[in-house]
Amino acid sequence: VQSAKTAHQALVTLQDPEGWFDLIITELSILGMNYGFDFLKLIKNQFHIPVIMMSKENNVSLISKALENGAAQYIAKPFSAEDFKDIWKHVLDAKKEKLFVESLFVKNEEQETLSHETKTKKKACKRK
């Protein structure tokens, strides 16, 4: 668990190659960003880590906007332990998605390698 007081500090921490994060829980009104939505977009685009947003504001339009912008979950304050009961599911889903995407790249690289080997064999056959 790591904490940050500002959006900039959080981004610097996330860019550290030593750190590996599975989940981010952030306040909607994070210092240094517009309502946390800019921060949410940066995290989703650069790091592909699930983000749970929380706020004392229980406004339906803010909750909808957070979820539309990619938040995995929105928790209204005051929160209880029950609100955090299933957050592990977001981490598991993100890991499954990452493994799926990585497998696509591996399959693509394997196909390119096989295609290259086939072309090389055909050229060798022609030379014989």
Side-chain angles (χ1 to χ4, degrees), residues 23-127:
L23 178 73
I24 295 174
I25 301 174
T26 184
E27 179 69 36
L28 180 62
S29 57
I30 189 168
L31 289 175
M33 291 276 176
N34 168 27
Y35 248 137
F37 296 122
D38 294 338
F39 181 69
L40 175 61
K41 287 178 187 175
L42 277 170
I43 299 303
K44 295 301 285 180
N45 292 334
Q46 283 187 348
F47 302 101
H48 310 289
I49 301 171
V51 178
I52 294 176
M53 298 200 87
M54 40 183 219
S55 176
K56 64 181 179 182
E57 298 184 44
N58 202 2
N59 182 327
V60 174
S61 65
L62 279 178
I63 295 170
S64 295
K65 187 173 181 180
L67 296 173
E68 287 170 4
N69 281 293
Q73 185 175 340
Y74 185 96
I75 299 174
K77 293 180 181 180
F79 50 81
S80 66
E82 187 73 17
D83 293 326
F84 293 93
K85 180 178 83 173
D86 294 328
I87 64 172
W88 62 271
K89 291 179 182 178
H90 301 297
V91 173
L92 187 62
D93 289 344
K95 286 188 178 203
K96 284 181 183 177
E97 184 178 326
K98 183 178 179 185
L99 288 173
F100 175 73
V101 170
E102 286 176 354
S103 73
L104 291 177
F105 286 114
V106 169
K107 286 180 183 177
N108 191 25
E109 288 174 2
E110 288 174 354
Q111 288 174 349
E112 288 176 7
T113 303
L114 289 173
S115 175
H116 178 70
E117 289 173 358
T118 303
K119 288 178 184 176
T120 306
K121 287 180 183 176
K122 284 182 181 177
K123 286 181 183 178
C125 289
K126 286 181 183 178
R127 290 181 189 155

Side-chain angles (χ1 to χ4, degrees), residues 1-3 10 13-16 18-24 47-50:
V1 174
Q2 192 117 29
S3 65
T13 302
L14 286 168
Q15 291 170 344
D16 181 6
E18 294 293 316
W20 177 256
F21 298 91
D22 294 316
L23 178 73
I24 295 174
F47 302 101
H48 310 289
I49 301 171

